[in-house]
Amino acid sequence: MARYLDIHPDNPQPRLISQVVEALRDDQLIAYPTDSGYALGAQLGNRDGRDRILGIRGLDDRHHFTLMCKDFSQLGQFVHVDNAAFRAIKAATPGPYTFILPATGEVPKRLMHAKKRTVGVRIPDHTLVCAILEELGEPILTSTLILPGETEARTMGWEIKEELDHVVDIVIEAGETPAQPTSVIDWSGSEPEVVRRGAGDVERFEV
């Protein structure tokens, strides 16, 4: 059965944040709230985490995973960002955007897109997630919690606990969670391409 942790959204309890980080380091899978719905998360070095996420979501190897990063400096360790992208992404973060960029050697190959060698990255505007990332000291391998046959991310921790009780290890509750997904910008080429229109304003990325 999954542990259910009720964490304060504005003043996360350090003891509970430490429990989440210890679980991630122990190769456990978490369901956690973000600024764009719930997500599934695992440590980068968790070899089973990727497969567990794909299994829960009913996805194949073509899925683009996202690295949830605490700041722009950390993001820059895991993806290649040219000058034009640098300015635009820095101006838009933290916020509800996911950027698809060429991965650096710091990203395990199993986490990259199989053909493109790209990975998604994002910097959340969410107190709880930032607290977890700060203590963890590295990005969280993440995928939006959209179950097979559904089109929107889950937003209620107790519902997730009921449905995924035996396939995740921790479910975090932290108050109201917005349902609107991030806007996805593919910047793996010379110009940005808007892949999904979500919560973030995409006009600045439309050529």
Side-chain angles (χ1 to χ4, degrees), residues 70-150:
K70 71 172 184 175
D71 54 29
F72 199 85
S73 175
Q74 188 177 74
L75 179 150
Q77 297 174 39
F78 293 88
V79 290
H80 295 288
V81 187
D82 65 23
N83 289 336
F86 178 95
R87 290 189 294 271
I89 295 173
K90 193 164 177 57
T93 55
Y97 297 93
T98 299
F99 298 95
I100 297 171
L101 291 158
T104 70
E106 296 294 317
V107 180
K109 286 185 178 180
R110 69 183 184 281
L111 306 184
M112 301 178 190
H113 187 279
K115 293 183 178 180
K116 299 180 180 179
R117 293 291 187 258
T118 51
V119 71
V121 285
R122 87 180 196 87
I123 303 171
D125 184 12
H126 194 279
T127 302
L128 166 67
V129 181
C130 290
I132 296 171
L133 289 167
E134 182 66 35
E135 184 162 337
L136 183 63
E138 65 178 52
I140 300 172
L141 175 66
T142 292
S143 182
T144 305
L145 181 41
I146 301 174
L147 295 178
E150 299 182 356

Side-chain angles (χ1 to χ4, degrees), residues 40-52:
L40 296 166
Q43 191 177 30
L44 295 185
N46 181 350
R47 290 194 164 272
D48 293 330
R50 168 190 176 277
D51 295 338
R52 290 178 69 186

Side-chain angles (χ1 to χ4, degrees), residues 145-196:
L145 181 41
I146 301 174
L147 295 178
E150 299 182 356
T151 58
E152 294 186 351
R154 289 305 183 96
T155 61
M156 305 292 290
W158 64 270
E159 286 184 348
I160 296 167
K161 174 73 164 75
E162 283 187 354
E163 291 192 46
L164 302 182
D165 202 22
H166 298 289
V167 293
V168 300
D169 301 299
I170 288 180
V171 177
I172 299 172
E173 178 68 66
E176 186 176 351
T177 303
Q180 194 170 13
T182 59
S183 293
V184 178
I185 315 298
D186 187 337
W187 214 320
S188 56
S190 58
E191 301 288 349
E193 178 187 351
V194 177
V195 177
R196 180 177 70 197

